[in-house]
Amino acid sequence: FVPDGVLMTFQVTVMSIFFALIIGLLAGLGRMSRFKIINLSCTVYVEIIRGIPLLVQLFYIYYALAKFVKIHDISAAVIAMSICYGAYISEIFRAGLQSIPKGQMEAALALGLTRRQAIYKIILPQTIRVVLPPIGNEFIALLKDSSLVSILAVSDLLRRGREYASTTFYYFETYTVIAIIYLIMTLFFSRIVAIMEERMKTDA
């Protein structure tokens, strides 16, 4: 059950973090927007989503919304985790954008760039260097939280292991293997994040 389960876990995790990054960037920029409607909408989104547990969001999207539209189990898992982690990542982007000195924007505007050009050409490239390490930590957290999608019948590592254990009755052995695999994956990506942080400091 390990190869199939690990593959599905990675698929769900990678798709979720991809969409979460897009949502997070847009929401982070939105929370810094001068337009009150955009700012308020993004703020409400972040506050509401961060106040609801991921497990509840998974149930809501897969079961509650089924009253109006049927969403496939994998799609529901990716949507829920993308929306949930997008809210947290938006705060990372917002903090990263605010860490850039205001003089950078003023200098860009003085050189004739529009505000939008200054954000995408001057501010964002510097922000990415700041936010990469914390986003790496969010990826690790999402990888561990992906085990929750097993409740939606997604054949991830935990679900496949549970099915294997129920037929063989090797519960201790199966869940020990699952725990070790998650630990290995977490330590592996934690090390990658640590290397990224060291290189960031060296380049700086």
Side-chain angles (χ1 to χ4, degrees), residues 2-189:
V2 172
D4 295 339
V6 170
L7 180 60
M8 179 57 68
T9 295
F10 270 114
Q11 287 178 346
V12 172
T13 301
V14 171
M15 286 190 293
S16 298
I17 197 66
F18 173 77
F19 290 113
L21 285 171
I22 296 174
I23 295 172
L25 176 58
L26 294 176
L29 290 172
R31 294 200 68 184
M32 298 184 65
S33 175
R34 293 176 296 176
F35 297 100
K36 291 185 178 180
I37 296 178
I38 296 176
N39 189 303
L40 180 60
S41 299
C42 293
T43 300
V44 170
Y45 153 71
V46 171
E47 295 301 325
I48 290 177
I49 295 301
R50 292 204 307 168
I52 302 175
L54 175 57
L55 185 59
V56 176
Q57 295 181 44
L58 286 166
F59 275 123
Y60 189 85
I61 291 175
Y62 187 66
Y63 293 109
L65 292 184
K67 181 178 180 180
F68 306 102
V69 57
K70 180 63 177 178
I71 303 177
H72 189 263
D73 51 7
I74 297 178
S75 299
V78 172
I79 291 171
M81 291 200 295
S82 299
I83 292 175
C84 180
Y85 274 86
Y88 290 96
I89 291 175
S90 72
E91 290 297 276
I92 294 175
F93 274 116
R94 186 169 70 92
L97 289 166
Q98 291 178 337
S99 69
I100 306 301
K102 293 182 179 180
Q104 297 278 350
M105 175 64 75
E106 295 172 356
L109 295 176
L111 290 173
L113 274 70
T114 64
R115 185 176 177 83
R116 179 175 296 181
Q117 289 175 328
I119 289 175
Y120 287 102
K121 294 183 178 181
I122 306 298
I123 306 301
L124 275 182
Q126 298 180 70
T127 302
I128 291 174
R129 293 169 56 88
V130 176
V131 303
L132 270 179
I135 286 178
N137 292 328
E138 288 298 313
F139 174 82
I140 294 171
L142 196 154
L143 174 64
K144 292 186 289 185
D145 281 347
S146 68
S147 61
L148 294 174
V149 305
S150 62
I151 64 171
L152 306 185
V154 176
S155 299
D156 70 324
L157 178 61
L158 181 58
R159 177 79 182 192
R160 295 286 287 113
R162 193 165 60 195
E163 293 171 350
Y164 177 80
S166 64
T167 57
T168 61
F169 299 102
Y170 293 149
Y171 289 100
F172 176 79
E173 295 85 347
T174 300
Y175 287 113
T176 299
V177 169
I178 291 173
I180 291 174
I181 292 173
Y182 271 111
L183 178 61
I184 291 173
M185 291 192 296
T186 301
L187 291 175
F188 175 74
F189 287 109

